[in-house]
Every structure is written in C-alpha cells, then in structure tokens.
Amino acid sequence: MNIETLEDFYVELEKIDWVSLKDYDNPVREICKKFGEYCNENGKVELLPVIQLELDLTNFVLIKNEIKPMMTGTDKDGNYTEYPSVSIITEDQIDYIKKRADSVLNDFLKVRYAHISWLLPNRHSKFAQMALGSYIQLLKINFEKLDEEDNKGIGGKIHAQLLNMVFLAQSFKTERKEEIKQLIIEFASKIKPESKNKYLFIWIIRLMIETPKLFKADDLVPFTNKIWDILNQHSSQHSKIDVAKVGIDFSNKTNQDKKNWYRKIAECYEQLSYEREDGANLVAVSFASHAVDYYKKIKDKVKVEELTKRYKYLKENMNLDEFHHKVDVTEIYNECRKIADKVLEKTPFEIYIYLMYSNDILPTFDELNEKAINKKISNPLEFHVLKSIIDHSGHAAEYFSDEDEIIRSIILEEMNWSIQFSRRILIQEIFFRGIDSNKLNTETFISFLRNYSWLGQNIKRTYKQGKTEEYSWLTLIAPAINDYFSQIYFYFMNNNNIPNFVLCIDSLAIKIEGILRDICEITDGTTFFFTKDKKNRDIVREKDINALLHDEAIVQHFSKDDLLFLKFLLVEKAGLNLRNNVAHSLFLYINNYSIDFIHLLIIAILKIAKDENSPLKNKK
C-alpha cells in the first residue's frame, strides 16, 4: 500500500470491500495510520486533520437515523467524554463531508457521508435521498451473501442498515417508501426457519411491528406460521421466550389471539425452573414465579396451582451463601458517647431540637448521593449487573437494573450502613441516658410537640355531605409514645422487665401514613385514585403510603433529606420497609420489633413535626 498524496488516500478508501469484512472490522484505521505516518515523516502535517476526520466519520455509530459516539466514559476527574464527538465538528468540516458525499463512489462510504450530512446542521434532503439509495444497494448486496459460511456478523450489519434505512425514510418526504416496504417483506420471506440467521427474521418482524406508518397488519399476517416455525427451531428456552414475546406483539398488531404465545412462555419458564434447580434455588424460584404469571394470563388454574406449590417449595429450600465480618465499633461507640455527653447537658427542648435537625442523627441525601457517584467511578462493573432484593420470606421483592435505579440502591445501602454502624448508637445513647436522667419522658416529649409543632394543633376537615371533623394527631400518637417511654423506664427499674415494642411500633408505623395523607390533602395533593371494580364500575380508593410518598405534593413538601429518610424507613424494600412489614403482619417474632425501629419512628415523628414541614402554616 503506497499512499503519498490525498488522491492516493481517496483511491485506497474506494477499494474497501465492506461487505466481505468479518464482523465490524474498520480497514480505514490501517489506511489512515499509514498515510498519517507518511505525512508526519514528509512534513505534510496540514493533511493530518483530514485523515483524522475520515477516521472519525467511519467510527460514528449510525442507528435509527441518529448519530452517536462509538465510546463514552469519564476522564480521571469524572467529566463526561466521548469519541468521536459531533459537538466539535466545524462548518468547514461539514462542507468537506458534503463534498465527499457527492464525489465518493463506494456505497458504504457514500451512505456514511450522506447520512451524516443529513444529520448535521444546514442539511439538505438530497443527502437523505443519496443515503437512502446507498442503503438499498448495500442491503441487496448484503442479503445475497447472508448465508455464506465466511460472512459471520453480516446479519448484524443488515439489521443496523435496515433500521437506518427505515427510520431515515420516515424522516423526510420520499417516494421510495413502498419500494423499501416491499424490499423488507421480500427479505423476511426468503429467510428460512432453519437458517443460522433466523434471528434476523425476528428482528425484521419487530421492525415491522414498530413502524406502523410503513407496515400495516395485513403485511404481517402472512408471517404468523413462520414465527412459530422459527421458535420451534430453537433449543434454548430463553431464545424461545424471546421469540414468543415478539409473537405477543405480533398478535397485538394483527389482532390475533395471544393465548398460545402466553402458554409457550409459561412452559419455557416452567422448564427453566427445573433445569436451574440447584442448592441455592434463587434462579429457579424466579423462573417458577414467571411461569405462574403467564399461566394466570391464560387462566390455567391447574398449572397455576401446580407452579405456585413449586414456587413455595423452591423458596422454602433456598440456600443462599451468607458472609459474616466482625466490625470493631469501639471507637465509634466512644465518639457517640462524647457527642451524647454534650447533647444531654442541654434542656429537653434543646435535645428534641437536636434530634429533629442535627446531621449527626441521619446522613444527608447529598453525602449519600456523592458516595454513590464515587462508587460508580471506582466500581463501574456494579452498574452493569442486575441487582435484586430478596425479602425475609424469600421473595424477589425488587430489582435494580438501569443507572438511576442502581444509584438509588447504593444510596439506600449507604444509609443503612450509616445507621447500623454509627447513627443508631448515638440515637440510643441519647434516648437511654436522656430517659435515665428523666430529661426525656412522655411529659417532655408530648409538651414539646404540643407547644412547638404543628402536630399539636387541631386539624379540621370536611368530608361527605359538608360534615366536618376536628382532631389532633398528637392525641393519636401519644399512647405509642407513652408505651415506649414506659417500657424503657420499667426496664431501668428492673432489668428483668424485658421491653416489648410491638404495640408502639405497630401504632406509629401506621399512624405516620395518616399524617402524610393529611399533609398531602392540606397542601392540595390528591389522596385518592379512580379505578374499576370487578364489574367495571367506577369506584374511588385511598392511596396507600407507597403512592403518597411519590405524590408530587409530598415530594415538593419535604426536603430531600427528610423524604429519603421517610421512604427508607417506611416503604423502600432496599431500606427498612417498616410500614409494609407491620401492615402485612410480616413481623412474627418479638425480636423483629427492634429498639432501633422505635427510635427511628420517633425521629420520623420529629422530622415530620418540623415547623417547615407544617401543612397548616399557609392555611387560615
């Protein structure tokens, strides 16, 4: 390869046979490297930007009529980076790309120059037409070579080109849409169920389903049996499930019965539950659960009952590995005692204010979020692994998969660690020693809330037929508060009086939901929702705490710190989930009712009672 001039460079690029390349090799890289070395050695450095641009243009990812970088990431300072970058392309470079689109003969290069020209500023429809023509030519050539043994990866190229061609055709006015439609139908018709590229047929069907402006139901109906034929060619249960899920979308599009697709998916998940049964049974449990869901869809009561029993058996025989590590908290305990010493020198009023506001009591959202971001930088692998929460009954209660979900899971994990290893010790020191010194008791707590918080005020609301009712939340939570202080007091009097926090935890965990409902209603949120009964009649239901804590009125009412804590304590499955565990009677042992829970519930009451959290301050 002898490249000494720009003309030589262009000639070499024209020679590339992109169809015959394995996978996604980029021969432009080698051509650019050789010409770049020649230019450096011979003082032709003014050509280096052109060489770099040519390389960049073949490295851009074109998908669904969008231009994207090949790689994204962060630098050592955590700043976003990408290569290649559309944002740094200059107007002179845009003019160069357009000229190359006009002059180049190689269809692959032409399609890239033309399509990129269409997606950059100051575009003209001639480049869209040019790219569309080249896509059609490339697809015809590629499809003829689809079943050749040495063309590994060509199916992926065809799929990408199909997506670009279809989405490009829908982005401007063109008379070639019917030609494109018939070309795709022809491709789908020629792929044989036993072909090694049968997955391409499923991709094409999915594309036809997702582009209703181009393909109608009548275009899809002839392929019904072929989807089944391809499904039956697969030996993998997972592959069968993937095909069957496309079959469900296909049936929705063509208005056909989905029952057989549901049954096939249920059978595949059932088979997987047996294939993956092992000592842990974690995966087998999940597959059995999915099988139940799909058998329910077809109302197969026999199979639902059978798989439900199997799910229960697998769950009860799960054997997950446990990891134990002893942590010496002596230093933390000593530091907490020092802080408690200073706090307990204050008056009861000042102690309650400290519990209500101090960042020593609970971590802030910002510090937890910063830890999560740092973890993303230091351990990016965690953001590419599906995480799940297994509740104490062995059920998969929640999954975290995308970046936002995993960030949230890390925030909740970090909050849990922070509370378990330090904050709970400080809170316990303050409460125990405060009660022992008689600074903290029922009288001082109730007096504090009555005189310095909105929870001590009367709330008046109107309900059906214009009737009103007046009440105070303080009178409703006071019995639980009194029970807590009494339990601790009698324990100090005689250590044989083991505290029992069942009543006070049950009461406060439920009462907080009512307080939040009032806050939502008073601040003009919506505390109910419309639904249908079994006979499709309109009915109204009250929102539960899970919905309330996500209502915009509540989200806007509380600070990020207080809202995070309330969710963590009451409803987050990756948190303590206290309200749901209490409401559904999932705490079956006295030891479930931890003293840390009652302390955190009292902290929650204090957080809600803050003056800035009062829903009454702007009401007459």
Side-chain angles (χ1 to χ4, degrees), residues 178-196:
E178 185 61 28
E179 176 189 357
I180 291 168
K181 172 180 171 178
Q182 294 305 321
L183 183 67
I184 293 174
I185 291 174
E186 181 185 350
F187 285 174
S189 300
K190 289 182 178 179
I191 298 175
K192 298 176 181 178
E194 65 275 11
S195 166
K196 64 180 181 180

Side-chain angles (χ1 to χ4, degrees), residues 17 22 87 101 142 149 165 170-171 182-183 223 229 264 296 357 380 428 472 499 526 548 564 580 605 619:
D17 180 9
K22 302 294 186 296
S87 62
N142 279 329
E149 288 297 326
M165 180 179 68
Q170 294 183 116
S171 69
Q182 294 305 321
L183 183 67
F223 296 109
D229 292 340
K264 176 56 70 175
K296 281 182 178 179
Y357 285 100
Q428 184 169 298
S472 165
T526 305
L548 289 171
L564 172 63
N580 293 326
I605 292 293
K619 298 291 181 180

Side-chain angles (χ1 to χ4, degrees), residues 370-504:
E370 184 179 354
K371 287 182 179 180
I373 297 300
N374 290 337
K375 199 167 186 180
K376 176 186 173 184
I377 296 171
S378 63
N379 187 22
L381 182 61
E382 183 172 354
F383 286 76
H384 297 281
V385 178
L386 177 67
K387 300 173 69 175
S388 62
I389 299 296
I390 305 298
D391 65 21
H392 68 277
S393 297
H395 303 296
E398 188 172 11
Y399 293 97
F400 302 96
S401 56
D402 63 37
E403 183 173 312
D404 289 341
E405 288 178 342
I406 293 175
I407 287 285
R408 183 167 65 88
S409 76
I410 295 174
I411 287 173
L412 295 170
E413 288 170 3
E414 291 292 336
M415 187 165 203
N416 192 39
W417 290 119
S418 179
I419 289 174
Q420 288 299 315
F421 286 106
S422 62
R423 314 283 178 154
R424 72 176 186 87
I425 298 173
L426 175 59
I427 295 170
Q428 184 169 298
E429 280 292 300
I430 292 172
F431 273 107
F432 278 8
R433 293 166 58 195
I435 294 171
D436 194 36
S437 64
N438 206 33
K439 284 190 174 183
L440 304 186
N441 53 47
T442 302
E443 183 180 352
T444 59
F445 190 88
I446 298 301
S447 176
F448 175 79
L449 290 183
R450 180 182 294 113
N451 296 317
Y452 303 107
S453 86
W454 69 274
L455 288 177
Q457 300 178 41
N458 285 344
I459 296 174
K460 181 183 291 187
R461 71 173 183 176
T462 302
Y463 56 107
K464 60 183 180 180
Q465 297 178 352
K467 294 182 180 179
T468 61
E469 58 184 3
E470 192 169 337
Y471 55 94
S472 165
W473 278 108
L474 184 56
T475 61
L476 296 172
I477 64 174
I481 298 297
N482 181 63
D483 184 62
Y484 161 74
F485 283 113
S486 298
Q487 293 282 341
I488 301 299
Y489 175 77
F490 286 116
Y491 172 73
F492 287 158
M493 293 292 291
N494 183 346
N495 290 163
N496 291 323
N497 296 324
I498 305 301
N500 184 316
F501 302 113
V502 174
L503 293 179
C504 51

Side-chain angles (χ1 to χ4, degrees), residues 120 129 139 259 266 287 294 415 417 443 445 462 497 512:
L120 291 175
Q129 295 282 10
L139 280 164
K259 186 174 181 179
F287 289 142
Y294 279 95
M415 187 165 203
W417 290 119
E443 183 180 352
F445 190 88
T462 302
N497 296 324
I512 289 175

Side-chain angles (χ1 to χ4, degrees), residues 193 198-199 201-202 206 226-250 258-272 275 287 294:
K198 54 184 172 289
Y199 62 87
F201 171 80
I202 299 301
R206 185 179 287 116
K226 194 167 186 176
I227 299 178
W228 277 108
D229 292 340
I230 285 180
L231 183 148
N232 291 325
Q233 286 293 321
H234 284 289
S235 57
S236 162
Q237 302 297 331
H238 290 290
S239 296
K240 290 180 179 181
I241 290 170
D242 290 340
V243 174
K245 287 181 177 179
V246 173
I248 291 171
D249 294 335
F250 180 93
K258 302 184 288 289
K259 186 174 181 179
N260 288 335
W261 297 116
Y262 286 140
R263 180 172 294 280
K264 176 56 70 175
I265 294 173
E267 291 170 350
C268 290
Y269 276 128
E270 181 180 1
Q271 181 63 32
L272 283 169
E275 291 177 3
F287 289 142
Y294 279 95

